[in-house]
């Protein structure tokens, strides 16, 4: 089974423009996501899917600098971007990542891949019933299913790539992966300046290597001051771009 990882990345962000190329402990946020995905050991190929916007020339340049293939496609139709990658790389399975998750845990990625492979389902995600911190989610989908969604997904479903699948679960074999203990109160994604303050503090403490979710959660349990930095930040609704 050939597994293709795709990281969606662009410089445009309504709340924190340019976040994917911010420097975090000597590496860009994007490079940290790339490295964590690669360290999972389950990907045969990893590609960054960015946009045709001139601002994303910088993303293309960063991909060249860190030695990762890059594909350019529409800004808001992210599903079409993914399909463009599929047209250039053979795969049986796709793992979807976003470039605003610099604390991605390679061990979680590997675990999700093992569970998905054993299950035989069409799609699996860690976010149907959330127990992981936001920013550590993993999604896995069979390539033929993602190709079939192209004819079905419209509007915000094309922006969110896989949302048509899990909102039409009667039509697909969908499972959710939950982990214990419940750490869903933690927000470890990068979308605002307050998110940045927390993530910067985490990397400042742990250093350069990816951190396991358990080790990170244990440390944060003793630092409620850091957890409070972005506890007020609300995630955008699904229908929002």
């Amino acid at each position: 089974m050939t597994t293709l990882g795709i990281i969606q990345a662009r410089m445009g962000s309504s709340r924190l423009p340019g976040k994917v190329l911010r420097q975090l402990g000597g590496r860009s946020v994007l490079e940290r996501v790339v490295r964590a995905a690669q360290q999972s050991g389950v990907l045969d190929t990893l590609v960054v899917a960015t946009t045709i916007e001139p601002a994303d020339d910088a993303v293309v340049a960063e991909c060249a600098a860190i030695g990762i293939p890059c594909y350019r496609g529409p800004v808001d139709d992210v599903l079409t971007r993914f399909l463009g990658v599929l047209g250039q790389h053979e795969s049986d399975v796709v793992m979807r990542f976003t470039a605003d998750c610099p604390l991605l845990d390679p061990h979680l990625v590997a675990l999700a891949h093992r569970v998905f492979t054993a299950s035989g389902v069409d799609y699996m995600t860690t976010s149907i019933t959330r127990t992981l911190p936001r920013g550590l989610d993993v999604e896995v989908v069979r390539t033929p299913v993602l190709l079939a969604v192209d004819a079905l997904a419209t509007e915000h479903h094309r922006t969110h790539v896989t949302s048509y699948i899990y909102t039409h679960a009667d039509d697909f074999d969908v499972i959710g992966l939950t982990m214990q203990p419940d750490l869903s109160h933690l927000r470890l994604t990068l979308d605002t300046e307050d998110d940045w303050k927390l993530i910067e503090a985490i990397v400042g403490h742990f250093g350069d290597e990816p951190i396991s979710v358990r080790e990170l959660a244990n440390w944060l349990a003793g630092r409620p001051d850091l957890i409070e930095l972005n506890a007020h930040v609300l995630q955008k609704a699904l229908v929002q771009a």
Side-chain angles (χ1 to χ4, degrees), residues 13 15 26 40 45 51 98-99 113 120 126 150 159 166 168 181 200 207 225 232:
S13 167
R15 295 204 279 191
S40 71
T45 308
T51 86
T98 58
H113 187 269
T126 56
D150 184 34
T159 300
Y166 59 78
H168 294 77
E200 198 172 34
D225 56 315
H232 64 282

Side-chain angles (χ1 to χ4, degrees), residues 187-222:
R187 177 181 170 84
L188 301 176
T189 189
L190 177 59
D191 201 32
T192 70
E193 286 289 351
D194 288 334
D195 294 331
W196 175 257
K197 292 173 185 175
L198 171 59
I199 291 172
E200 198 172 34
I202 290 169
V203 172
H205 175 78
F206 284 97
D208 193 47
E209 289 301 311
I211 316 150
S212 74
V213 62
R214 190 176 299 274
E215 184 180 8
L216 178 51
N218 287 342
W219 181 69
L220 284 174

Side-chain angles (χ1 to χ4, degrees), residues 71-111:
Y71 177 87
R72 305 187 80 165
V75 176
D76 295 321
D77 189 346
V78 189
L79 176 57
T80 290
R81 263 192 261 163
F82 272 59
L83 296 174
V85 176
L86 294 182
Q88 295 182 350
H89 301 271
E90 290 188 6
S91 66
D92 300 301
V93 170
V94 175
M95 300 195 79
R96 176 185 176 231
F97 306 99
T98 58
D100 54 3
C101 298
L103 299 177
L104 183 68
D105 182 349
H107 301 292
L108 283 179
V109 176
L111 174 62

Side-chain angles (χ1 to χ4, degrees), residues 154-165:
T154 59
E155 299 177 338
H156 64 276
H157 290 309
R158 301 199 69 85
T159 300
H160 295 286
V161 184
T162 56
S163 61
Y164 184 90
I165 301 170

